[in-house]
Amino acid sequence: MSEPVASDAAPGRRTRVAPFVVLAVAIVLAGLFVVLAQSERGGDTISSFLIGKPAPTATGTTLDGEPFDLSRRKGSWVVLNFFDPTCVPCVNEHPELVAFDEQQGARPDGAELYTIINKGSDESVREFFATNGGDWPVVSDPPRAISVAFGVAQVPETWIIDPNGIVRQRMAGEVTAEFLGSYLQQLREVG
């Protein structure tokens, strides 16, 4: 016969830790959800070795069959938005880009907006724009050469290039029209 094993718990009483752990995790997750839900979208400016340097070579073809060469955009402010039609933040951000494009179109010195397809087929992107609007050039990047040249880590990413072809900013995550427009205006004023 085997002898009974001694237990640290008092007889007849079990310690139940698991429900308390689950409750604590649920409270933390709920708090995180509330904070994220209440935060304003604006995009986070993030560092890049390209900031302050000439923009990398970026060539491709738009979905309309027109050639795209970033170096030919000198003289204009350029905003590149890297995009995937299956990316939820990209989809959420899209109405803001439509508003930004309309705002910039009303300015004599308005920025040129380009979407760079980071993932997704040309056809899926065409369908997305047909359904959700947006009347700016969309650049196909099948080998992802433009994404690699800019070091795009995760979409959406938005880049601002000044009229001299110098990279001025990189933003990760969803941007709003208001945030992007005011940030661009600050860059214009600085020169």
Side-chain angles (χ1 to χ4, degrees):
M1 291 179 107
S2 63
E3 297 202 17
V5 177
S7 170
D8 291 343
R13 186 172 145 189
R14 292 185 174 181
T15 56
R16 297 186 181 188
V17 176
F20 295 110
V21 171
V22 169
L23 180 63
V25 169
I27 290 170
V28 168
L29 289 176
L32 180 61
F33 178 76
V34 168
V35 168
L36 290 175
Q38 292 178 350
S39 69
E40 286 188 40
R41 293 181 299 168
D44 294 322
T45 57
I46 55 175
S47 65
S48 168
F49 67 93
L50 291 173
I51 294 175
K53 296 183 179 160
T57 300
T59 60
T61 305
T62 68
L63 294 183
D64 295 334
E66 298 295 320
F68 171 78
D69 184 346
L70 181 59
S71 68
R72 296 184 148 288
R73 308 304 343 133
K74 284 188 180 174
S76 300
W77 285 92
V78 174
V79 175
L80 300 179
N81 179 261
F82 291 84
F83 172 82
D84 170 0
T86 63
C87 154
V88 172
C90 296
V91 172
N92 292 340
E93 170 186 71
H94 191 76
E96 295 292 330
L97 293 176
V98 170
F100 172 77
D101 186 55
E102 290 170 0
Q103 291 168 1
Q104 294 301 305
R107 294 181 58 116
D109 64 344
E112 298 177 16
L113 175 61
Y114 294 89
T115 289
I116 310 296
I117 303 171
N118 183 265
K119 289 184 182 173
S121 68
D122 290 357
E123 189 55 37
S124 66
V125 174
R126 273 190 195 94
E127 288 175 19
F128 178 87
F129 272 74
T131 302
N132 299 289
D135 190 29
W136 59 85
V138 178
V139 180
S140 183
D141 186 25
R144 296 185 61 194
I146 300 172
S147 296
V148 169
F150 277 86
V152 172
Q154 182 175 347
V155 293
E157 270 195 28
T158 305
W159 293 72
I160 299 175
I161 295 106
D162 75 14
N164 297 314
I166 304 299
V167 174
R168 297 295 295 274
Q169 195 52 258
R170 174 187 189 190
M171 291 170 239
E174 298 173 46
V175 295
T176 63
E178 181 181 344
F179 176 80
L180 192 53
S182 65
Y183 199 91
L184 185 58
Q185 186 57 35
Q186 289 173 13
L187 290 173
R188 283 183 179 112
E189 291 169 3
V190 171

